[in-house]
Amino acid sequence: MTDIKLKLDRIVLSYDDLLVLNGITLDVRRGEFVSIVGPSGAGKSTILKILTGAAEADGGEILFDGRQLDPDARPFALMPQRDALMPWRRIIDNATLGLEVQGMSRRDARHRVEPLMAEFGLAGFEEHYPSALSGGMRQRAALLRTVVQDRSMLLLDEPFGALDALTRNQMQLWLEDMWLKHRWTAMLVTHDIREAVMLSDRIYVLSARPAQVARTIEVPLPRPRMRDAAIRAKVAEIESAILDTLVGSQHSLLQEGQMP
Ligand SMILES: Nc1ncnc2c1ncn2[C@@H]1O[C@H](COP(=O)(O)OP(=O)(O)O)[C@@H](O)[C@H]1O
Ligand SMILES: [Mg+2]
């Protein structure tokens, strides 16, 4: 019995003539929070799309719990880059949507979701439409819809990318608390390096396209991290080391005149 939950082994993908992923090898352990950072256009979202089946790799292997991933039983719940709430459904009905799609009755789905509304900061807003909520609340509703699906792994694609800096900070604090409580196995895609360091056990730094893993960084800092000034200082050091790797890869791109 290994504690490796997910393994990507030499994943290659091109869109027509554009080589995007050039042999991505990475793994996520059970209960681990892993981030993928990299330049915009490197292929981060594409990695998640391959996992959920929205894109197909041209080569490489995906193992889940030590076995070849079954394309008909994908154990991932994805929170996409945009909140993707349906504007015509109330918040509670958006939150139950994933369960209903899985075949659960609306009544049972509500039963599962209602007790979590408070934890997600949505109590009292159940019957509101998404347009009446702040950006942070919409993201929490989208995350609630994702986590109640009870899949064994959570995929988060730039979940806070569209929020203002202050709201993003509050959401990161909140996500840290929630992760400490629930210990989801999670893979976060982000271009916010500080966010990756604050939240992750391990970080994969991608090179610019065609993407490879340029560096793997362990973050052995105790949690919670965001409220502790001494830990924040350590976070800044790691952040700076990652930035060096990324700047190096951007630099070689500039020389080749192929900035995205
Ligand atoms: N469906 C698609 N067809 C063609 N090219 C695509 C498609 N999806 C993404 N791309 C291209 O693949 C590259 C990687 O995209 P993406 O994975 O979205 O990058 P990231 O999430 O790291 O910003 C980009 O150059 C993008 O334009
Ligand atoms: Mg993306």
Side-chain angles (χ1 to χ4, degrees):
M1 188 71 184
T2 161
D3 77 338
I4 291 184
K5 194 88 188 145
L6 172 70
K7 182 169 177 62
L8 271 62
D9 191 16
R10 291 163 294 167
I11 295 293
V12 175
L13 177 141
S14 302
Y15 290 116
D16 300 317
D17 290 340
L18 183 71
L19 178 61
V20 175
L21 303 178
N22 189 20
I24 298 289
T25 296
L26 56 82
D27 55 61
V28 183
R29 298 173 196 136
R30 188 181 312 277
E32 190 179 32
F33 197 116
V34 164
S35 287
I36 298 179
V37 301
S40 162
K44 303 182 296 298
S45 295
T46 298
I47 293 174
L48 299 189
K49 282 184 190 156
I50 290 171
L51 293 173
T52 60
E56 199 179 339
D58 302 310
E61 266 198 329
I62 303 174
L63 299 178
F64 195 82
D65 282 338
R67 291 193 203 126
Q68 201 98 23
L69 177 70
D70 177 355
D72 298 320
R74 294 177 189 269
F76 308 108
L78 169 72
M79 181 169 158
Q81 219 156 340
R82 300 275 167 83
D83 67 34
L85 297 177
M86 302 204 164
W88 60 88
R89 288 178 77 120
R90 297 169 197 276
I91 288 304
I92 181 84
D93 299 322
N94 263 291
T96 58
L97 189 63
L99 292 171
E100 289 177 56
V101 167
Q102 283 177 33
M104 190 182 278
S105 73
R106 183 170 285 198
R107 194 164 161 272
D108 288 349
R110 277 189 171 234
H111 212 72
R112 164 99 59 101
V113 166
E114 269 162 2
L116 293 165
M117 295 297 284
E119 203 178 329
F120 279 70
L122 297 166
F125 290 87
E126 290 85 348
E127 306 300 328
H128 287 59
Y129 289 95
S131 60
L133 270 58
S134 69
M137 293 177 91
R138 282 204 299 274
Q139 282 310 86
R140 290 199 299 276
L143 187 63
L144 175 56
R145 176 173 66 190
T146 307
V147 302
V148 291
Q149 293 172 44
D150 231 1
R151 301 292 176 94
S152 37
M153 199 174 152
L154 204 57
L155 309 176
L156 308 167
D157 192 354
E158 311 249 14
F160 310 138
L163 302 174
D164 64 86
L166 211 62
T167 309
R168 192 183 318 149
N169 246 293
Q170 289 166 348
M171 292 293 289
Q172 290 161 351
L173 266 168
W174 172 82
L175 183 59
E176 181 176 55
D177 287 344
M178 292 294 280
W179 184 83
L180 280 169
K181 191 167 165 196
H182 296 275
R183 300 280 174 168
W184 302 300
T185 304
M187 191 153 105
L188 168 74
V189 159
T190 182
H191 58 237
D192 182 336
I193 303 169
R194 185 170 169 274
E195 172 174 287
V197 181
M198 282 293 185
L199 293 169
S200 309
D201 297 301
R202 242 158 11 109
I203 300 171
Y204 288 97
V205 184
L206 299 189
S207 67
R209 198 183 62 233
Q212 291 188 317
V213 173
R215 229 174 134 175
T216 309
I217 291 175
E218 304 268 345
V219 189
L221 302 175
R223 292 179 169 98
R225 294 171 181 168
M226 299 191 68
R227 291 182 177 83
D228 186 317
I231 296 178
R232 281 204 305 271
K234 295 230 171 68
V235 164
E237 276 172 34
I238 299 175
E239 186 185 346
S240 165
I242 295 175
L243 204 54
D244 280 340
T245 305
L246 285 171
V247 168
S249 103
Q250 293 280 20
H251 182 66
S252 59
L253 260 183
L254 277 168
Q255 286 175 330
E256 291 162 30
Q258 45 164 275
M259 275 294 280

